[in-house]
Amino acid sequence: MNTGSNEPGEVAVAADETRTNGVHSEREDEPGLGSRAPEFIKARRVLHVSWQVGVFVVGLAVVVAGIIMLPLPGPGWVVIFGGMAIWATEFVWAQLVLRWTKRKVTEAAQRALDPKVRRRNIILTVLGLVIVGVLAGIYLWKFGLVMPWKIKNQ
């Protein structure tokens, strides 16, 4: 949680290290890295550190809730990425993680649109549905419409 300068009233802004040979590789639709805190908060070091601690605690609570939701019912991964988005409003490392994740998800979506991959996915889905249908048919043939917890030794 480095806020930058040793001078009172100054806050360092994170530099974007994605420049190569003077060419800026950051896309136009992606905002720059660094704090998104209002200027009056950034202007006061104690207030900015307090702001960062608050953002960290809120983001941590959301991420922990998402981790708890992974084995339990609930949108665990969505909540975890929501917590990362909260962190990304203030911390460069979280912004970089979210950009990397967004890039990987976009690449996976593009690969999924490939006709060969779509055909394979459709075949695997149909095969899975056939297997589930056969298992459900066997269950219904053997036990009828009885819930598994009400089946006595048959």
Side-chain angles (χ1 to χ4, degrees):
M1 292 198 310
N2 183 9
T3 58
S5 173
N6 290 329
E7 299 296 322
E10 286 187 29
V11 176
V13 178
D16 188 0
E17 301 295 331
T18 58
R19 295 175 187 243
T20 309
N21 295 332
V23 178
H24 195 276
S25 65
E26 184 178 338
R27 287 196 223 148
E28 298 300 323
D29 60 341
E30 291 180 346
L33 298 175
S35 176
R36 308 264 193 292
E39 290 302 320
F40 74 92
I41 290 176
K42 285 194 240 179
R44 293 162 184 84
R45 184 176 175 92
V46 172
L47 192 56
H48 193 230
V49 170
S50 301
W51 177 272
Q52 285 182 322
V53 168
V55 167
F56 183 79
V57 169
V58 170
L60 182 64
V62 173
V63 168
V64 168
I67 291 171
I68 291 171
M69 286 184 209
L70 286 175
L72 299 175
W77 286 109
V78 174
V79 174
I80 289 171
F81 287 119
M84 288 295 296
I86 291 170
W87 279 338
T89 63
E90 196 58 34
F91 303 108
V92 173
W93 62 267
Q95 293 168 3
L96 295 174
V97 168
L98 283 179
R99 284 184 184 180
W100 178 84
T101 304
K102 181 179 177 183
R103 188 171 52 250
K104 291 298 179 183
V105 167
T106 303
E107 290 171 5
Q110 290 300 321
R111 282 193 308 269
L113 293 176
D114 180 32
K116 291 179 183 177
V117 174
R118 288 186 72 197
R119 192 175 318 117
R120 183 201 64 201
N121 290 346
I122 290 171
I123 290 170
L124 290 174
T125 301
V126 169
L127 183 64
L129 289 174
V130 167
I131 290 171
V132 167
V134 167
L135 292 175
I138 292 171
Y139 177 84
L140 289 174
W141 172 68
K142 181 154 175 72
F143 300 110
L145 284 174
V146 178
M147 292 295 135
W149 51 85
K150 293 185 178 182
I151 295 175
K152 302 293 183 226
N153 293 333
Q154 292 184 4

Short mmCIF file of all heavy atoms in Angstrom, two decimals, residues 8 20 22 36 39-40 43 60 62 64 70 96 109 119 146 153:
data_model
loop_
_atom_site.label_atom_id
_atom_site.label_comp_id
_atom_site.label_asym_id
_atom_site.label_seq_id
_atom_site.Cartn_x
_atom_site.Cartn_y
_atom_site.Cartn_z
N PRO A 8 4.77 15.88 2.42
CA PRO A 8 3.37 15.98 2.82
C PRO A 8 2.53 16.59 1.70
O PRO A 8 2.95 17.51 1.02
CB PRO A 8 3.41 16.89 4.04
CG PRO A 8 4.72 17.58 4.02
CD PRO A 8 5.65 16.72 3.21
N THR A 20 6.99 0.59 -24.95
CA THR A 20 8.11 -0.08 -25.61
C THR A 20 8.60 0.82 -26.73
O THR A 20 7.84 1.17 -27.63
CB THR A 20 7.66 -1.43 -26.20
OG1 THR A 20 7.00 -2.16 -25.16
CG2 THR A 20 8.83 -2.22 -26.71
N GLY A 22 9.09 3.90 -26.87
CA GLY A 22 8.35 5.14 -27.02
C GLY A 22 6.93 4.95 -27.51
O GLY A 22 6.20 5.90 -27.64
N ARG A 36 -8.11 5.63 -8.13
CA ARG A 36 -9.30 6.28 -8.65
C ARG A 36 -9.97 7.13 -7.55
O ARG A 36 -11.11 7.53 -7.70
CB ARG A 36 -10.30 5.25 -9.16
CG ARG A 36 -9.76 4.24 -10.13
CD ARG A 36 -10.02 4.64 -11.56
NE ARG A 36 -9.79 3.58 -12.52
CZ ARG A 36 -8.63 3.05 -12.82
NH1 ARG A 36 -7.55 3.42 -12.19
NH2 ARG A 36 -8.51 2.13 -13.75
N GLU A 39 -9.80 13.60 -5.97
CA GLU A 39 -8.60 14.43 -5.83
C GLU A 39 -8.43 14.96 -4.41
O GLU A 39 -7.31 15.05 -3.92
CB GLU A 39 -8.62 15.58 -6.83
CG GLU A 39 -8.43 15.15 -8.27
CD GLU A 39 -7.13 14.41 -8.48
OE1 GLU A 39 -6.09 14.81 -7.91
OE2 GLU A 39 -7.13 13.41 -9.23
N PHE A 40 -9.51 15.34 -3.73
CA PHE A 40 -9.35 15.89 -2.39
C PHE A 40 -8.84 14.83 -1.42
O PHE A 40 -8.19 15.15 -0.43
CB PHE A 40 -10.65 16.53 -1.88
CG PHE A 40 -11.72 15.56 -1.47
CD1 PHE A 40 -11.82 15.12 -0.15
CD2 PHE A 40 -12.64 15.08 -2.39
CE1 PHE A 40 -12.81 14.24 0.23
CE2 PHE A 40 -13.62 14.20 -2.02
CZ PHE A 40 -13.72 13.76 -0.71
N ALA A 43 -5.02 14.34 -2.20
CA ALA A 43 -4.21 15.48 -1.82
C ALA A 43 -3.73 15.40 -0.37
O ALA A 43 -2.79 16.09 0.01
CB ALA A 43 -5.01 16.77 -2.02
N LEU A 60 -11.44 -7.14 0.57
CA LEU A 60 -11.11 -8.41 1.23
C LEU A 60 -12.37 -9.12 1.71
O LEU A 60 -12.51 -10.33 1.54
CB LEU A 60 -10.16 -8.16 2.40
CG LEU A 60 -9.69 -9.41 3.15
CD1 LEU A 60 -8.86 -10.29 2.23
CD2 LEU A 60 -8.88 -9.00 4.38
N VAL A 62 -15.36 -8.90 0.43
CA VAL A 62 -16.08 -9.42 -0.74
C VAL A 62 -15.37 -10.65 -1.29
O VAL A 62 -16.01 -11.66 -1.63
CB VAL A 62 -16.22 -8.31 -1.81
CG1 VAL A 62 -16.80 -8.86 -3.10
CG2 VAL A 62 -17.09 -7.18 -1.28
N VAL A 64 -13.42 -12.78 0.37
CA VAL A 64 -13.62 -13.87 1.33
C VAL A 64 -15.04 -14.44 1.19
O VAL A 64 -15.23 -15.66 1.21
CB VAL A 64 -13.33 -13.39 2.77
CG1 VAL A 64 -13.81 -14.40 3.80
CG2 VAL A 64 -11.85 -13.15 2.94
N LEU A 70 -17.70 -20.56 -3.00
CA LEU A 70 -17.26 -21.55 -3.98
C LEU A 70 -17.84 -22.93 -3.69
O LEU A 70 -18.42 -23.54 -4.58
CB LEU A 70 -15.73 -21.59 -4.06
CG LEU A 70 -15.08 -20.40 -4.77
CD1 LEU A 70 -13.57 -20.49 -4.68
CD2 LEU A 70 -15.53 -20.31 -6.20
N LEU A 96 -3.85 -4.78 -12.83
CA LEU A 96 -3.12 -5.64 -13.76
C LEU A 96 -3.70 -7.05 -13.80
O LEU A 96 -3.81 -7.65 -14.87
CB LEU A 96 -1.63 -5.66 -13.39
CG LEU A 96 -0.90 -4.32 -13.54
CD1 LEU A 96 0.52 -4.43 -13.00
CD2 LEU A 96 -0.90 -3.87 -14.98
N ALA A 109 -13.03 -16.91 -25.27
CA ALA A 109 -14.30 -16.74 -25.98
C ALA A 109 -14.08 -16.78 -27.49
O ALA A 109 -14.88 -17.37 -28.23
CB ALA A 109 -14.96 -15.43 -25.57
N ARG A 119 -18.19 -27.35 -32.80
CA ARG A 119 -18.70 -28.69 -33.17
C ARG A 119 -18.36 -29.70 -32.09
O ARG A 119 -19.21 -30.49 -31.67
CB ARG A 119 -18.10 -29.10 -34.52
CG ARG A 119 -18.76 -30.31 -35.13
CD ARG A 119 -18.22 -30.64 -36.53
NE ARG A 119 -18.03 -29.47 -37.37
CZ ARG A 119 -16.85 -29.07 -37.85
NH1 ARG A 119 -15.75 -29.74 -37.58
NH2 ARG A 119 -16.75 -28.01 -38.61
N VAL A 146 -39.74 -42.10 -7.26
CA VAL A 146 -39.50 -42.05 -5.82
C VAL A 146 -38.16 -41.36 -5.60
O VAL A 146 -37.19 -41.64 -6.30
CB VAL A 146 -39.46 -43.49 -5.23
CG1 VAL A 146 -39.17 -43.43 -3.76
CG2 VAL A 146 -40.75 -44.21 -5.52
N ASN A 153 -34.58 -50.73 0.94
CA ASN A 153 -33.77 -51.78 0.31
C ASN A 153 -34.63 -52.56 -0.67
O ASN A 153 -35.48 -53.35 -0.28
CB ASN A 153 -33.19 -52.71 1.36
CG ASN A 153 -32.17 -51.99 2.22
OD1 ASN A 153 -31.56 -51.03 1.77
ND2 ASN A 153 -32.02 -52.42 3.46
#
